[in-house]
Amino acid sequence: MCGIVTAIATHNVVPVLLEGLRRLEYRGYDSAGLAIVDEGGELLRLRACGRVAELVARVEGRRLASSLGIAHTRWATHGAPSERNAHPHVSEGVAVVHNGIIENFEAIKTALQAQGYVFVSDTDTEAVAHLIHSKLRGAGDLLEAVRLAVAGLEGAYALGVISASDPSRAVVARRGAPLLLGVGDDGHYAASDAAALLQVTRKVVYLEDGDLAELRRDGYRVVRVDGGGAVRAEHVSSLVADAVSLGAYRHFMQKEIFEQPQALADTLGLAASCGAAAAHHFGAQAGEVFAGVRRVQILACGTSYHAGLVARYWLEAVAGLPCAVEIASEYRYRKPVANGDTLVVAVSQSGETADTLAALKYARSLGMARTLAICNVPESAIAREAALRFITRAGPEIGVASTKAFTTQLAAFALLTLALAKCGGRLAAAGEDRHLEALRHLPAAVRKVLELEPEIAQWAQRFASKEHALFLGRGQHWPIAMEGALKLKEISYIHAEAYAAGELKHGPLALVDERMPVIAVSPADELLEKLKSNLQEVRARGGELYVFADAGGEIGGSENVHILRLPEHYGMLSPVLHVIPLQLLAYHVALVRGTDVDKPRNLAKSVTVE
C-alpha cells in the first residue's frame, strides 16, 4: 500500500524520485520522504508529514542532487502518521524504505536493543534498518547484508536499501508486496508500480517472492534469498504516460468513470471479434479445466467482492453452477469443505491484494487446483499463482475508489459465465449469439448513461448536506446498491448502508425519516413490482427517494420521489449500466462537500497488507 522508488544513474535522480512518488501517491499519502548519498559520500534524508507536495517543497528549498537515492510515500500501519514515523528509516549510514508488515519486528527490536541500537520511531521498518546495519558490520557487503537480514523476516515486504559506505549500488528485495525493476539506458531503477518509472524507461523486470536485486549504474543482477542466482525476463510495459495523467479531467476518478466504455470494449474485444464465448480466453488449458467444474467459489475483497456477488446470479442462472462468494480475509481463516471439482476464482484489480492472494493459496492447499485469476495486472502475484487467468483491460486505475476496474471485472464474469455454460451444454448457439451481441453493444450503452452526468450533479447538490444514506436493490442489483454505498462512503464520508430491499421491513425502516435519503436501484426487471412496494414503505415514513430507473419503468416522481431514467433496460448486463450513475453520484457529492476525491482519508489503492 506504500509506494517505493529506488534509483541509481549517471545523472541527478532526485527529480526522478519525486516524480515517481507523485505517480505512486495513490498508494499512500500520510507522509513522504527520500534519502540520497551526496557527492561527499554523506547520507542525507528529508521527510514530511502529509502529501508528496510537502516533501517536494522541502527538497526544492535544499536543491538536493545525487545519482543514488530511495524515496517513499506512506500509508500508515505501525505508528501514526508523523515525520518521525515517515520513511526512509536510517541506521548509521544505512537507509531503508519498506512496503508491507514485518510480523516479528518486536522480537527483532528486542534483540537489537540488547546490542545497543536505539529506536526513535513506532514503526516495524526501523527494525529492518538496524538489522541490515548489524548484518553489514559482519558481512561487509550490502547485498549480502540485506540477504541475511530478510532471511530472518516474517511477514510481507518490498524493500529499497542504500548505504553511504557503498554509493555504487542500491539493493531491493520483495516478498508478498509488489516490486519491479526498471532497466534504463543511463541507470537502473525499482518501484512499486511501473507507472512511477515511465519517465525513465518502459523496460521492466518483475521480481518474484524471495528475490533480491542489486542495482548499479551500468547493470543489475537478481539473486534468491538462499543465495542462489536467478534470471528474470525483461518486459516492455504497455503503459504510456497519458494513461497516468489527468488530461482534461478534474480528477482521476472522473477520468476513469468516463474511460469505462473503452475499457469495456478492450476487455471484451477478443470474444466480440471472434464471435464466440470460448474457454480458451481464460487460458490454453481452460477447456479441459472447465469441463470438470461442478461449482464455483469466488474470493475477493471490497469492490471486487461486489463484482463476485453479481456474478453469482449469472453463474447460477445461466451456467447452472452453484456459486459461493466469500470475503477473502474471512475465507482464509475458515475451514471450508474442499471439493476438487470447484473452480476457485480470485478477483483483484491490482493482483496483489494480500488477503485474496492468501485465500487463493489456502484454497490450493486444500486440494482445489482448478483456479482462475481475474485481475488487471498481467505480471501480478495472483495472476502468477492461479492455473488460469483473465486479464481485464481497464488500464491503470489511480483513483482509490474503484470504477472501471469494477465494470471490467463484471465483463470478465459475463464471459466466464457464457464459457462455463457452453462447456456444460447449457448455452445453445442462438443464445450465445444473443449474449455476445449484448456485450458488443455494452460500451455504447454505457456512453449513453454517462450523458446523464449533469442531472446527477444536480442531485448531488441536494444530497451533499446529508450525513447518512440508505441504498436499496433487489436480485442482481442488490450488490450494485452495495457498491453505490461503498463509493459514497469512500469519497464523501457520508455514512451509507445497502440492503436487499425486501429486508427493509426487518429493521432498516426504523432509520427512515426526512433526514435519511434512500437511493433505489430500480431496473425494469421481474422484481420491479416487489421493489415498488418497498419504495412505498419509504414514502409512507416520510423518506426522500432517489430512484435510478430504466426507460419505461412504471415509477412516477413526486415532491419527495426523484426519478432518473437510464436510456434502456439491459437484461442480464443491467448491473453494468446501473452502477455508472452511482459512481457519478458519489463523485459529485464529494465535489460539493470538498473532500479529496482521488485520495480519501485513511485509504490507499493497492491493499498489500493484511
Side-chain angles (χ1 to χ4, degrees), residues 329-349:
S329 58
E330 290 295 316
Y331 178 85
R332 62 184 291 194
Y333 295 113
R334 278 207 310 110
K335 297 190 184 300
V337 177
N339 290 284
D341 57 6
T342 300
L343 178 66
V344 178
V345 185
V347 193
S348 165
Q349 186 280 136

Side-chain angles (χ1 to χ4, degrees), residues 526-539:
E526 68 277 5
L527 292 174
L528 178 59
E529 292 303 318
K530 299 291 184 184
L531 181 63
K532 287 166 64 177
S533 297
N534 302 138
L535 301 188
Q536 289 294 342
E537 295 167 358
V538 173
R539 294 182 65 183

Side-chain angles (χ1 to χ4, degrees), residues 6 63 104 146 352 378 433 456 504 549 568 594:
T6 301
R63 297 184 179 179
N104 62 333
V146 176
E352 302 286 349
D433 291 343
I456 296 169
L504 191 63
E568 58 185 310

Side-chain angles (χ1 to χ4, degrees), residues 389-409:
R389 68 179 189 172
F390 184 94
I391 305 302
T392 58
R393 299 295 190 270
E397 191 177 62
I398 306 301
V400 167
S402 181
T403 52
K404 62 178 179 173
F406 177 71
T407 50
T408 54
Q409 286 170 356

Side-chain angles (χ1 to χ4, degrees), residues 175-303:
R175 184 175 73 203
L179 193 67
L180 55 86
L181 309 183
V183 181
D185 295 330
D186 54 5
H188 290 83
Y189 311 87
S192 304
D193 189 317
L197 303 182
L198 290 178
Q199 55 179 315
V200 288
T201 184
R202 290 179 59 200
K203 187 181 293 185
V204 298
V205 176
Y206 294 97
L207 297 180
E208 297 186 4
D209 275 1
D211 280 354
L212 296 90
E214 177 186 72
L215 306 180
R216 296 182 179 273
R217 291 171 181 83
D218 58 356
Y220 70 93
R221 67 182 174 116
V222 180
V223 300
R224 298 291 292 165
V225 71
D226 62 7
V231 177
R232 303 289 177 241
E234 295 182 357
H235 303 265
V236 176
S237 173
S238 59
L239 290 179
V240 295
D242 287 349
V244 291
S245 63
L246 271 173
Y249 293 95
R250 188 170 175 182
H251 297 92
F252 279 106
M253 184 180 179
Q254 184 188 33
K255 178 189 179 193
E256 288 153 11
I257 289 172
F258 278 85
E259 286 175 339
Q260 287 176 109
Q262 188 61 54
L264 286 164
D266 292 343
T267 297
L268 296 166
L270 183 59
S273 62
C274 75
H280 67 74
H281 297 323
F282 298 85
Q285 307 301 317
E288 179 182 345
V289 172
F290 288 177
V293 169
R294 298 293 177 266
R295 54 184 57 81
V296 179
Q297 172 71 68
I298 298 173
L299 304 172
C301 299
T303 285

Side-chain angles (χ1 to χ4, degrees), residues 3-9 13 16-17 20-21 24 35 67-72 95-98 158-162 169-173 179-182 187-192 196-197 200 213-215:
I4 290 173
V5 188
T6 301
I8 182 167
V13 300
V16 175
L17 297 173
L21 291 187
L24 292 178
S67 61
L68 170 66
I70 54 177
H72 188 270
V96 175
V97 290
H98 167 224
L159 298 172
V161 186
I162 60 174
R169 57 182 169 172
V171 174
V172 298
L179 193 67
L180 55 86
L181 309 183
H188 290 83
Y189 311 87
S192 304
L197 303 182
V200 288
E214 177 186 72
L215 306 180

Side-chain angles (χ1 to χ4, degrees), residues 34 95 100 106 116 122 305 319 323 356 358 362 449 461 464 527 541 589:
L34 62 76
E106 290 180 336
D122 304 315
Y305 171 68
C323 180
T356 306
Y362 179 47
V449 177
Q461 295 290 334
L527 292 174
R541 273 77 180 177
V589 170

Side-chain angles (χ1 to χ4, degrees), residues 6 112 141 247 271 328 349 516 518 531 562 577:
T6 301
L112 290 167
D141 177 88
Q349 186 280 136
M516 170 73 86
V518 178
L531 181 63
H562 314 285
L577 300 192

